[in-house]
Amino acid sequence: MKYIEKHPMIMIVVGVLGISMSAIFVRYSTAPSAMTAAFRLLWTVILMSPIVIGKKEVRQELATLDKKKVCLSAVSGVFLAIHFVLWFESLQHTTVASSTTIVCTEVIWVALGFCIFMKGKLKGKAILAIAITFAGSIVIACADSVSGGVHLYGDVLALLAAIAVAVYTLIGRIIREKVSTTVYTYVVYSACAFVLVLTCMVQGYALFDYGISAIIVGALLAIFSTILGHSIFSWCLKYFSPTFVSASKLCEPVVAAIFAGLLFGEVPAIPVFVGGAMILGGVLYYSKIEREM
C-alpha cells in the first residue's frame, strides 16, 4: 500500500481501466438493461455493507441521518437508476464510442443545472465550452443518423442518461456538504437498487430468469466499474487535484472505444471521431474554467 501511495498514478490508470470496462461488460450481458443495472447495484450494496456495518462512526451517522437528507438521497438514487437503465440500453443501439462520449457531457448538464436551479452564474468562456460540447453531440448524432435510426436512438438515450446522472450529481453536491461519502453513497445505492429491482418486477422480469451470466456481469460491474473505478477516483482526490481527476475520467471513451474495436470490431466513422474530440475538448476546457472560477 505504501508503494501505491508513493506512486498514486497507478491508481489513476486502474480507475480509468475500471470505468472503461463498464460499457464492455454491459455488451456481454444477455439480460435486459434494468436487470443488468439491478445486479450491479445489488452487488455494490452487498460489498459496501460490511464497511457500513463494521464501522461504528458510519453506523451512528447512518442512524442519525434526518428524514430530509434520506429523502433527497433516495431521489438521487432514483435518478441514478434512470441513468443506468438509459445508458445500458443506449449501448445496445449505438457504438460504445458514441455512447460513452455523449455520457461524458454530464459535467455540462451539471453546469446548466447549477445555473438554472441553484442560481449559479456562467462566464462567457463556460458558455463557449458548453456550445462546443453540444456541437460535438450534434456531429455524432448526424453521423449516426446516416448509419441508421437505431444508432441515433442510442445517442438520444445516452444524452438522457447524461442528464439523469447530472441531476444525481447536483443533489449530491447539496447533501455531501454535511454527510460523509460512505453514508451518502450507501443510501443512494440502496435506493437505486430498490428502484431497479422494482422496475424489473413491474416489467415482468424475474431476477434469475437470465442465468448465471447476468449475475456475473453485475458482479464485474460492481467490482471493476464501481469499486475499482469510481471509488478509486474518490481515493485519488487525496493525492491529485479534483480537476486532474475529472480530466483523467475523459480517457474513458477512448479506452472503451479501443476495447470495443478489439472485442467487437467497432471502428467509429471519422465524423464520430471529430464529434468525440469536440465533446471531450469542450468538457476539458470547461473543467479548466471551473478551476479558475
Side-chain angles (χ1 to χ4, degrees), residues 67 129 144 169 176 179 220 231 233 267:
K67 291 181 180 180
D144 282 346
T169 301
R176 279 287 293 111
V179 180
L220 291 173
S231 296
F233 282 123
V267 180

Side-chain angles (χ1 to χ4, degrees), residues 122-136:
L122 292 176
K123 292 182 178 180
K125 290 181 179 179
I127 295 173
L128 175 61
I130 291 172
I132 293 171
T133 304
F134 186 68

